[in-house]
């Protein structure tokens, strides 16, 4: 064996090199927060800075992820140990997301399980016409459950080496998720209450709004995965980005089921 | 970003000078198929033999086709049943004697010394003791007196930058 340790690093870990992206992301995200707070306090001509910060953050993230894709696909830095670390890191992130949604449900139950006298002592509060579980939310539930099925189909096709079914399943998943978002937009447009209509409106749009935001993020993640499969970057065995996207999407799928049961069914 | 740039620079160093002149871009250099990618651990000659090829159009790539760099080296090792990183403890089953000044237990290092943890001979016979084992100065375990000595790894011409 003409392999000598001197030619290669003897450990499987990826010691990341100096990069401008972490500090740029930090400052742009801080800018988003500050400018959003300024906006909420009525500062004039501040929208430009919110948009500017968001553009910087999105561009920096895109360039950072581009670097990670290069390191993974083209430089071979992602050994099994690195992939394990990425997976564990992403699982921790999903756990933090879980507790974020637990907080939202806590806010809902806090107000709904013992409605105060100002609400008329009932939930939904007096004067609020809530959206029932047999209306648009039922279609939304079916859409999301179907998208979970097509996503699993796509993943198994990738594992089995069937490129056409992988791409078809993933395109269908994204189409179903986009349809879900359109339905949510229609529901919001026609809802008889707003976010400022007391606690019901507040927690309803708090929960469903953040869920919708997470579906959008899931669509972006699956879109990146679709592009990387289309350009032959992902192999049948090494596709951490796709696996984490799938995990994330299924997570927001399950959150929707709880939203449906609690916000649209039990809560109405 | 800097990692990419440095890797491409080092890829340029690996290639012969006339090759570098011929390729107009880094991607063209990477796509160059002069060196066949190694498909067995025994075929690995250097970093340039660890650049994977692409899959046939319309198929899902496999790891063997496309894995590159250190990840490919690891894969080829696994296919031969070899853990190339060898992260397990240094156990010397061939002679179950503790290291001595004349016959120390050798420990690889990128530096001129390394912290080692001794658990005695045979393995696990006392609490782990941590101490330095140097290239020039051996390390001895306070518990059992075993001797460890480091030997340097790393590229000959270039020191690690971090």
């Amino acid at each position: 064996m003409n392999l000598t340790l001197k030619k290669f690093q003897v450990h499987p870990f990826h010691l990341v090199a100096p990069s401008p992206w972490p500090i740029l992301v930090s400052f742009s995200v801080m800018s988003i927060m500050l400018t959003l707070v300024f906006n909420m306090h009525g500062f004039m001509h501040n929208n430009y800075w919110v948009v500017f910060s968001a553009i910087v953050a999105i561009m920096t993230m895109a360039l950072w992820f581009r670097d990670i894709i290069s390191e993974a696909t083209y430089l071979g830095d992602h050994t099994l140990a690195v992939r394990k670390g990425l997976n564990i890191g992403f699982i921790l992130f999903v756990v933090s997301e879980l507790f974020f949604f637990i907080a939202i449900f806590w806010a809902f139950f806090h107000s709904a399980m013992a409605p105060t006298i100002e609400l008329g002592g009932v939930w939904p509060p007096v004067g609020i016409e809530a959206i029932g579980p047999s209306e648009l939310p039922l279609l939304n539930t079916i859409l999301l459950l179907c998208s979970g099925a097509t996503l699993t189909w796509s993943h198994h096709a990738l594992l089995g080496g069937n490129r056409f079914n992988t791409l078809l399943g993933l395109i269908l998943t994204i189409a179903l998720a986009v349809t879900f978002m359109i339905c949510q937009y229609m529901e919001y447009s026609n809802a008889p209450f707003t976010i400022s209509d007391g606690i019901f409106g507040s927690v309803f749009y708090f929960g469903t709004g953040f869920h919708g935001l997470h579906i959008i993020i899931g669509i972006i993640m699956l879109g990146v995965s679709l592009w990387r499969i289309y350009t032959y970057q992902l192999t049948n065995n090494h596709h951490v980005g796709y696996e984490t996207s799938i995990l994330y999407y299924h997570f927001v799928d399950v959150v929707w089921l709880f939203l449906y049961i609690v916000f649209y069914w039990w809560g109405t | 970003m800097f990692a990419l740039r440095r890797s491409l620079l080092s890829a340029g160093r690996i290639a012969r000078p006339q090759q570098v002149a011929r390729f107009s871009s880094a991607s063209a250099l990477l796509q160059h198929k002069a060196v066949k990618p190694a498909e067995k651990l025994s075929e690995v000659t250097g970093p340039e033999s660890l650049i994977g090829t692409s899959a046939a159009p319309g198929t899902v790539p496999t790891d063997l086709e496309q894995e590159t760099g250190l990840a490919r080296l690891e894969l080829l090792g696994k296919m031969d049943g070899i853990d190339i990183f060898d992260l397990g403890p240094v156990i010397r089953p061939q002679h179950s004697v503790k290291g001595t000044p004349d016959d120390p237990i050798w420990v690889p290092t990128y530096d001129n010394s390394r912290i080692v943890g001794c658990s005695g001979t045979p393995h696990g016979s006392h609490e782990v003791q941590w101490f330095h084992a140097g290239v020039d100065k051996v390390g001895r375990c306070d518990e059992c007196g075993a001797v460890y000595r480091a030997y340097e790894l790393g590229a000959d011409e270039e020191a690690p930058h971090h």
Side-chain angles (χ1 to χ4, degrees), chain B residues 10 15 28 36 38 44 59 92 101 103 111 138 151:
Chain B
S10 61
K36 187 179 166 290
V44 176
T59 63
R92 302 203 297 180
D103 182 20
D111 208 338
V138 297
Y151 64 96

Side-chain angles (χ1 to χ4, degrees), chain A residues 41 63 74 82 129 163 196 209:
Chain A
H41 283 262
L63 290 167
Y74 297 104
V82 175
E129 190 188 324
R163 179 176 160 86
S196 55

Side-chain angles (χ1 to χ4, degrees), chain A residues 181 211-221:
Chain A
M181 287 312 298
H211 176 266
L213 182 70
H214 281 73
I215 289 283
I216 291 172
I217 295 167
I219 290 171
I220 294 169
M221 290 175 74

